[in-house]
Amino acid sequence: MLDLNGIYEQVLFESLGPMAEFKSANLIAAGNHNQGIRIGSSEGIFFLKLNFDHEKDILVREAQGLDLLRKSTFLKVPEVYGYGRVEDYNYLLTEFIPGGRKASNYWENLGIGLAHLHLTQQEYFGLDQDNFIASLYQKNLHSDNWLDFFIEQRLEPLLGKAYFDRLIPLDFLKKFQEIYPKLQDIFPEESPSLVHGDLWSGNVIIHEDGQPCLIDPAVYFGHREMDLAFSRLFGGFDSQFYEAYESVLPMAPGFENRIGVYNLYPLLVHLNLFGTAYLPGIEKIVNRFQ
């Protein structure tokens, strides 16, 4: 069994070839399942995400998401150098993003860049493969109807998981499902747009040039308002961001009234990942429709 240095060496060999020499490793982020490591090598500095105790393709899907983002917006997205599995670890080796201070046009460029991303469109909601949001499985079967996609592939799987894991009682599950018919006319009709899928402030970092960089996507083709609503859930985005976005892609009337409905999905994600502290926020939104 390889020690961690042996794993780092193997990752560099598989990603960059036999000439890549491992020099140093510094842990810069750690969670329940993921580690973020700054890797020094003869080929430069890289960012390594190691993941254990999860599906074997979780970081493969993240790599594919990063590549899709990079093709679809002028915003900075880390280059992917390799991904795979060594011993019991899934790994993803990407460009290391040195930090910086926000440039004066940081928020404006982020807004315009997100609008540019959303202008990447296709005929159906979904994606060519399923993927993950954080560590949770995310279905992406093709659908030509946003409401059907949103209910069947976003809300229902996580609602059912929360019930199965005893995070919600049966009566609340039924109460939640009773709002579905009332959502019939709430969403404006728009073409499926490529969305980041996990757009909270922690997944937008500052490059050393002062410009925004997108990380940790959960991409699919969905309603573009999902990203905008998610950005409002925990805050951290300046008003200049929204103004710049709307200068390119104006929001349909009534967006403020739809934000809570969109955010049922990320709130269910957090409920399943972190527990019942997120249940009151879900209940508040559901109660609006009673």
Side-chain angles (χ1 to χ4, degrees), residues 67-88:
D67 288 339
L68 186 54
L69 286 181
R70 193 180 312 103
K71 296 173 184 176
S72 306
T73 179
F74 65 80
L75 293 173
K76 179 68 178 176
V77 178
E79 292 284 345
V80 174
Y81 294 105
Y83 51 84
R85 189 169 177 88
V86 175
E87 298 286 339
D88 294 327

Side-chain angles (χ1 to χ4, degrees), residues 165-190:
D165 291 340
R166 299 183 178 180
L167 295 169
I168 60 171
L170 180 59
D171 61 344
F172 182 71
L173 181 146
K174 293 179 178 178
K175 183 177 181 180
F176 191 113
Q177 292 173 327
E178 287 172 358
I179 77 170
Y180 294 161
K182 301 174 184 179
L183 303 181
Q184 192 64 46
D185 299 316
I186 195 171
F187 300 115
E189 186 172 339
E190 295 194 4

Side-chain angles (χ1 to χ4, degrees), residues 171-244:
D171 61 344
F172 182 71
L173 181 146
K174 293 179 178 178
K175 183 177 181 180
F176 191 113
Q177 292 173 327
E178 287 172 358
I179 77 170
Y180 294 161
K182 301 174 184 179
L183 303 181
Q184 192 64 46
D185 299 316
I186 195 171
F187 300 115
E189 186 172 339
E190 295 194 4
S191 298
S193 293
L194 181 61
V195 297
H196 177 282
D198 195 0
L199 193 69
W200 69 288
S201 60
N203 285 343
V204 186
I205 60 176
I206 309 169
H207 191 270
E208 63 180 344
D209 64 4
Q211 295 301 327
C213 175
L214 301 178
I215 61 171
D216 292 351
V219 298
Y220 60 98
F221 284 84
H223 202 299
R224 65 188 177 97
E225 291 185 340
M226 283 290 288
D227 273 347
L228 277 299
F230 203 161
S231 75
R232 298 274 292 271
L233 183 58
F234 302 119
F237 291 80
D238 192 271
S239 60
Q240 297 175 57
F241 161 70
Y242 300 102
E243 292 165 3

